[in-house]
Amino acid sequence: MKILFFYLIFYLFSFVISYSDVLPLGYESHNDSLVIKYNVKENYYTNISFIDNGKSRYEMSFNCVLNNTIRTCTLPVKESDHAQMYSESILACTENNGTFQMCDYDVPLLFFPSPLLISELKPKTRGGNTTLSVGDYSYESKTPDRINLKLKVFPGCGYRTIIWENRERFNFTYQDPNIEKININQSILDITGTNFYNQSVFVSVKIDNNIIDPNDIISVDFENIKLKFNYSDPFSSKLNVQVGCCDYWSNKFQITYPPIPSSVNSIPKLKGGLLIINGNRLTSSPSSYNNNNISVTVGDLNCSIVSSSSNEIKCNLQHLSNSTLNNSSPITVSINGVVNTNELLLNYDIPYITTFSQVNDEIHIIGGCFGNINSTQIQINGKQVLNQIKSINNDETILILNVQNQIYNFNISMESNSIKSNEINVDVKMYTRINEIPSVGNKLINFTLLYVNSSNINSIPTIKILNEQSNQTIKSILTNVNESVVSCSFLIENNCGIINYEIEIGNQRYQSSFSYESPLINNCNLNSNEIVTCIGKAFGNTYNETSIIISNQSISLNKEINNSSYESISFQMNEEYSILGELYLNVCGLSSNKVIINTIPIFKNISIPNLFNTNGGYIIIIGKYLNNNNTNITIECNGEEILEKECKLNNSSTSLECNIKLNGPNDKTCKLLFNYDKNNSNNIVSTFNLIYKSPSINQTSIINLKQGGILTIIGNDFYYPIDKVTIIGDNGNGSGDNLNCDEPKYINDTMITCFIQATNYTFNNIKNGEMIFINVSTNGKSGTSKVFKYLTQSDDTRQYSDARNIFQNLLLSILIIIIISLLFISNI
């Protein structure tokens, strides 16, 4: 409605504007001038008067300059003018192109510049007197100075806008909120500061960047905010708090929730020890959990952190070097830089008892500062007793009592360092022990019952075996009583393993367990029939009591066991059992020691996969349970023992590979003596033949028969000595002459040489340059190959040059082979 009314007034006003009106094009406000621009044809101000009570109080004149179509009029403003530039209204004199138009022209503010801003507008949120108005809020002014307006600003916050009479807008913000102090009173935060706001709908609070529920804000004012904040985290922390008003946020103010150590145990001053500090918020947050962020100091001493939780810190404190220091020291706990504000003192050398434990027939009093066995005094049921302390550990935290059997329930306290401890109640429970570890198969088991109440001393003890589903109850067959100690014996059918039991006498019960002796293996042997026999004790005598494990394989006893007793067990070996692994027994859940089976190797046969070469070869001995330790092998060939042999076990125990270094070329008849013993006539003997490879020829050098010369032959498996080298002229046809190559020489097993006499002899039906056969024989071994080039004619120079080149290359290759061989031998 206001907007509609404004446009209506503006519309009506436009009708009364006459030609004498002044319509500026624009204006500029400066501290020392006011500049207004006009169209050259329009009216313009020449001077202005500030009017009070209908009279001119102060006048100022414009200086106008024409520039083409734009007239610029400047009103100079001196420092002394500022205090006079106010009035109830402003009148002006006007001209048009130098011609006077009128005076007393009422200057409309709609066409007048906005106030000149001297300083930044940042009002307080509470409001009050300031130099500028606030948006469309009302203001009061007794001196409407267009340069410095004295305004009364209403309360507000955040971003606001001023609309001047000329419809120009000016944006400003209230001062940002600022936190100066925060008090924490249980679950209430009391925030004090400046430039808060008193309307809760415009106020927010952030704690560690999390905006709290608006319903938790109790009250808001310009300098104070109260809100509910229940800190329930179990760790110490620093939190940043911010106040927001109209979405403008304050500074970050840090509050802390410190650790609260409330109690600590005492420790010996001259020994130090483990401090256990109890309280609240004694650890750091999970996001920064690290013992390095936690520190404890006692006086000037650092306490080394052992562990921390929300309500407990454990740390080791070293002993004091000066025993004359005070008997108490303040404790400071710091977690991520947050330090406790309450006071907690460590008092040294004050004995205290926390609890007790019954360890079998011993009573352990647990606490601290127990002193030593010679100076500490014990009070039982308020009376001092002597010779009741069995031992005190070095840390003075465990005291073991010598409790008399007739004492079952009592109150205990102690005095150490002339300081008396607190008192606790000790209730001693009946305890049973077995007199000796029973052997397997023994059915009569003897027990001793301690701390039996006098009301139960004449009752008959019973035992219930808890392993059995039937829970059969067995009565003692023999009972003996000595004060509160009862000796009893039971016949128990379970005769191996671990027995869980419950003994009852009167209204007292005690549950525990005892163990029969564990199985012990002395040795295990495998005989020639592949039966393993183990000797020892506590083996058990039924199949369901005993199991055998070899190399983590369990043997099915109902199939394999041949014999079993408490001291021996026998079973048949099968192929799937790995005899190389360890063997142990499991008797009723108790495992024996582990042993290696003493095996006797079993021979089956010999395999020779390849022919022997110049330097020998290898054979494979096939059998069972073979290994390098239990297998003694002797090999004799042609009546002589082979000493140069090396045998190694393959991946399993079923074969041995023996490398035999025995030169050829003569084939040999050999025998294997398996586990040979000169004093034993039952040695296993196996006969086998070693067959050597025949020579093979790969290539020869080129020789012209008319010239003769040394022929080099390259191949494999040449033997020393070489008997004969023959060039065969029939080319495999079975007819024709042969040509001997004289003076054959053995170089090594891959190369030999011989000498061809120069001759005019020719082979019939063989063409010059044709490849023919050459034969090498040695000790009955012979090899033939078609690699010799038959040359008898006088070939041209190129042909012989080629031959010489080939021969030179061949000799160079031979030389390289010899050099490499010598280098290899020298490195061995």
Side-chain angles (χ1 to χ4, degrees):
M1 181 63 71
K2 288 182 178 180
I3 296 174
L4 182 62
F5 179 75
F6 172 78
Y7 279 111
L8 178 61
I9 295 299
F10 179 76
Y11 177 74
L12 294 175
F13 177 75
S14 64
F15 280 97
V16 300
I17 297 177
S18 65
Y19 181 74
S20 62
D21 288 340
V22 178
L23 301 175
L25 292 176
Y27 40 80
E28 297 176 2
S29 296
H30 302 284
N31 193 39
D32 58 354
S33 64
L34 173 64
V35 179
I36 304 177
K37 294 182 179 182
Y38 308 89
N39 190 299
V40 68
K41 295 181 180 180
E42 297 293 334
N43 296 335
Y44 53 90
Y45 301 129
T46 58
N47 59 27
I48 57 174
S49 299
F50 296 92
I51 306 300
D52 278 337
N53 297 323
K55 296 180 179 180
S56 174
R57 182 181 54 78
Y58 196 70
E59 296 184 357
M60 300 178 71
S61 298
F62 285 90
N63 298 320
C64 296
V65 176
L66 178 64
N67 183 12
N68 294 329
T69 60
I70 301 299
R71 188 183 310 277
T72 302
C73 295
T74 302
L75 178 69
V77 180
K78 297 179 293 185
E79 188 69 28
S80 60
D81 294 333
H82 288 174
Q84 304 297 327
M85 294 178 71
Y86 68 92
S87 65
E88 294 176 352
S89 63
I90 301 175
L91 300 179
C93 294
T94 62
E95 292 183 358
N96 186 295
N97 200 21
T99 303
F100 173 78
Q101 294 292 313
M102 64 178 294
C103 283
D104 298 334
Y105 177 80
D106 191 2
V107 178
L109 296 181
L110 180 64
F111 299 104
F112 205 77
S114 302
L116 179 64
L117 302 183
I118 297 176
S119 61
E120 180 186 14
L121 178 61
K122 272 290 219 184
K124 296 180 179 179
T125 57
R126 182 181 283 276
N129 292 331
T130 185
T131 57
L132 287 175
S133 64
V134 181
D136 54 3
Y137 285 69
S138 63
Y139 63 88
E140 299 177 3
S141 174
K142 294 183 179 180
T143 57
D145 183 351
R146 302 306 295 173
I147 300 299
N148 277 317
L149 295 179
K150 297 292 184 179
L151 304 177
K152 181 179 180 180
V153 181
F154 281 78
C157 62
Y159 179 88
R160 290 290 186 269
T161 299
I162 294 175
I163 302 177
W164 302 114
E165 291 87 341
N166 60 7
R167 299 178 187 172
E168 286 190 351
R169 293 174 177 267
F170 170 68
N171 299 323
F172 74 97
T173 58
Y174 283 86
Q175 292 183 27
D176 292 337
N178 179 67
I179 301 175
E180 296 175 350
K181 182 176 67 174
I182 298 179
N183 291 326
I184 302 173
N185 184 8
Q186 295 181 350
S187 60
I188 302 298
L189 294 186
D190 190 344
I191 306 174
T192 302
T194 56
N195 290 304
F196 302 154
Y197 197 38
N198 65 348
Q199 301 294 322
S200 60
V201 68
F202 296 108
V203 176
S204 300
V205 178
K206 284 195 298 187
I207 298 179
D208 265 11
N209 292 323
N210 295 314
I211 298 179
I212 68 167
D213 189 339
N215 295 323
D216 290 334
I217 298 178
I218 299 172
S219 64
V220 295
D221 202 351
F222 295 106
E223 283 84 29
N224 181 262
I225 297 174
K226 288 185 174 66
L227 61 109
K228 292 184 292 185
F229 180 67
N230 184 20
Y231 183 81
S232 58
D233 290 336
F235 42 80
S236 296
S237 184
K238 298 177 182 178
L239 301 177
N240 289 319
V241 179
Q242 283 183 283
V243 171
C245 298
C246 300
D247 293 328
Y248 281 76
W249 292 94
S250 72
N251 57 313
K252 290 183 178 181
F253 193 92
Q254 192 173 81
I255 61 174
T256 61
Y257 286 88
I260 307 175
S262 57
S263 65
V264 63
N265 62 300
S266 182
I267 60 172
K269 182 192 300 184
L270 298 181
K271 291 184 178 179
L274 181 68
L275 285 188
I276 302 176
I277 303 172
N278 295 305
N280 297 310
R281 300 201 291 259
L282 298 181
T283 189
S284 58
S285 65
S287 61
S288 62
Y289 186 79
N290 188 329
N291 279 348
N292 292 332
N293 295 330
I294 303 174
S295 66
V296 175
T297 57
V298 180
D300 295 329
L301 297 177
N302 291 325
C303 194
S304 300
I305 300 296
V306 175
S307 64
S308 69
S309 65
S310 60
N311 53 19
E312 182 183 85
I313 292 178
K314 291 182 178 180
C315 62
N316 283 317
L317 184 66
Q318 64 184 5
H319 67 278
L320 295 181
S321 58
N322 189 348
S323 61
T324 62
L325 293 175
N326 293 335
N327 287 331
S328 63
S329 298
I331 293 177
T332 302
V333 177
S334 174
I335 299 178
N336 292 329
V338 182
V339 180
N340 62 297
T341 56
N342 65 313
E343 183 180 67
L344 177 65
L345 295 178
L346 169 62
N347 297 305
Y348 292 99
D349 296 320
I350 297 179
Y352 64 94
I353 303 174
T354 56
T355 186
F356 79 96
S357 65
Q358 184 172 345
V359 181
N360 299 331
D361 59 343
E362 293 181 344
I363 303 301
H364 292 200
I365 306 300
I366 300 171
C369 299
F370 287 163
N372 60 72
I373 194 171
N374 296 321
S375 62
T376 299
Q377 299 175 354
I378 295 293
Q379 289 85 34
I380 292 181
N381 294 331
K383 296 181 180 180
Q384 182 175 332
V385 293
L386 301 176
N387 302 320
Q388 292 296 302
I389 302 177
K390 186 176 181 179
S391 65
I392 298 176
N393 69 341
N394 185 59
D395 294 334
E396 301 183 21
T397 57
I398 298 176
L399 183 150
I400 301 177
L401 287 177
N402 289 318
V403 180
Q404 298 176 5
N405 289 326
Q406 65 270 21
I407 300 179
Y408 319 114
N409 186 289
F410 56 91
N411 294 325
I412 184 172
S413 64
M414 68 179 63
E415 185 175 311
S416 176
N417 304 313
S418 300
I419 302 174
K420 189 175 180 180
S421 75
N422 59 311
E423 185 178 76
I424 67 166
N425 179 260
V426 176
D427 186 16
V428 184
K429 306 298 182 183
M430 182 183 73
Y431 168 73
T432 69
R433 65 186 178 204
I434 193 168
N435 294 348
E436 61 181 357
I437 297 176
S439 58
V440 173
N442 184 12
K443 297 183 179 182
L444 185 63
I445 310 299
N446 300 316
F447 290 89
T448 298
L449 313 184
L450 304 175
Y451 311 122
V452 179
N453 293 344
S454 56
S455 59
N456 299 323
I457 204 71
N458 294 318
S459 301
I460 298 176
T462 61
I463 190 170
K464 184 184 293 183
I465 305 303
L466 303 180
N467 301 57
E468 299 176 347
Q469 295 181 356
S470 62
N471 288 337
Q472 180 184 3
T473 300
I474 305 169
K475 291 184 178 181
S476 173
I477 62 172
L478 182 63
T479 303
N480 184 35
V481 178
N482 180 12
E483 294 183 346
S484 65
V485 179
V486 176
S487 299
C488 53
S489 302
F490 301 95
L491 285 175
I492 299 177
E493 292 300 323
N494 304 66
N495 54 16
C496 64
I498 298 174
I499 305 301
N500 297 312
Y501 68 90
E502 179 184 81
I503 286 184
E504 180 177 350
I505 182 169
N507 61 359
Q508 290 179 281
R509 291 183 178 87
Y510 181 80
Q511 284 189 2
S512 186
S513 63
F514 70 88
S515 173
Y516 283 88
E517 61 180 337
S518 298
L520 175 66
I521 303 175
N522 293 332
N523 59 73
C524 291
N525 296 306
L526 175 73
N527 64 19
S528 59
N529 295 321
E530 298 190 64
I531 293 177
V532 175
T533 299
C534 296
I535 304 300
K537 65 177 181 177
F539 287 174
N541 66 344
T542 59
Y543 297 149
N544 60 352
E545 292 176 352
T546 305
S547 59
I548 302 172
I549 296 93
I550 301 179
S551 298
N552 295 322
Q553 280 183 295
S554 182
I555 295 178
S556 179
L557 298 181
N558 57 343
K559 295 181 180 180
E560 305 298 342
I561 282 193
N562 295 335
N563 176 46
S564 181
S565 67
Y566 294 132
E567 297 182 349
S568 69
I569 187 169
S570 300
F571 60 94
Q572 183 73 44
M573 281 298 297
N574 278 345
E575 292 289 345
E576 66 266 20
Y577 304 150
S578 176
I579 196 66
L580 296 178
E582 293 179 315
L583 176 147
Y584 67 94
L585 301 181
N586 185 293
V587 179
C588 299
L590 298 178
S591 296
S592 72
N593 56 312
K594 295 181 178 181
V595 298
I596 299 294
I597 300 175
N598 299 319
T599 59
I600 298 176
I602 297 175
F603 171 78
K604 289 186 176 180
N605 56 62
I606 293 177
S607 171
I608 305 176
N610 299 308
L611 296 177
F612 273 47
N613 57 28
T614 308
N615 298 318
Y618 67 94
I619 65 173
I620 298 176
I621 301 172
I622 299 173
K624 295 178 68 174
Y625 318 124
L626 307 176
N627 64 61
N628 292 325
N629 296 325
N630 71 355
T631 307
N632 182 17
I633 295 173
T634 301
I635 298 175
E636 294 182 357
C637 293
N638 295 343
E640 294 184 2
E641 182 178 350
I642 305 302
L643 299 177
E644 293 190 37
K645 67 179 185 302
E646 181 181 350
C647 297
K648 64 179 180 179
L649 192 68
N650 285 340
N651 293 332
S652 67
S653 61
T654 59
S655 65
L656 280 171
E657 183 177 301
C658 295
N659 186 25
I660 301 175
K661 296 181 180 180
L662 189 61
N663 295 334
N666 297 328
D667 298 338
K668 296 173 178 61
T669 299
C670 304
K671 63 180 179 179
L672 171 69
L673 304 179
F674 195 78
N675 275 2
Y676 177 69
D677 185 355
K678 294 180 179 180
N679 299 320
N680 186 358
S681 60
N682 295 321
N683 293 309
I684 299 174
V685 178
S686 176
T687 302
F688 60 95
N689 293 322
L690 298 182
I691 308 299
Y692 286 82
K693 294 179 181 179
S694 296
S696 61
I697 305 171
N698 298 330
Q699 65 181 17
T700 68
S701 58
I702 298 175
I703 295 293
N704 190 296
L705 296 182
K706 290 186 177 294
Q707 295 176 347
I710 297 175
L711 179 67
T712 301
I713 302 171
I714 305 299
N716 293 295
D717 300 309
F718 296 143
Y719 302 94
Y720 180 83
I722 303 298
D723 294 336
K724 187 176 182 182
V725 178
T726 306
I727 298 171
I728 303 173
D730 59 7
N731 207 2
N733 295 326
S735 61
D737 296 328
N738 297 332
L739 179 65
N740 291 332
C741 187
D742 301 329
E743 302 176 13
K745 292 183 180 179
Y746 174 85
I747 306 301
N748 55 41
D749 58 350
T750 62
M751 183 173 66
I752 61 174
T753 62
C754 59
F755 182 75
I756 298 178
Q757 296 283 350
T759 179
N760 292 324
Y761 183 81
T762 58
F763 294 123
N764 295 327
N765 301 322
I766 296 179
K767 299 178 181 179
N768 188 59
E770 187 177 354
M771 303 302 290
I772 62 176
F773 287 95
I774 186 170
N775 174 270
V776 175
S777 61
T778 175
N779 289 319
K781 299 288 183 181
S782 176
T784 302
S785 182
K786 193 175 184 180
V787 295
F788 182 75
K789 188 171 185 179
Y790 176 61
L791 293 174
T792 58
Q793 297 179 1
S794 297
D795 295 338
D796 57 20
T797 304
R798 179 179 179 181
Q799 178 180 6
Y800 286 111
S801 176
D802 289 343
R804 282 194 302 272
N805 288 338
I806 292 174
F807 183 67
Q808 289 174 357
N809 291 336
L810 183 61
L811 288 179
L812 181 60
S813 299
I814 294 170
L815 181 59
I816 292 173
I817 291 172
I818 293 172
I819 292 172
I820 292 175
S821 300
L822 291 174
L823 290 175
F824 177 76
I825 292 172
S826 64
N827 290 329
I828 294 178

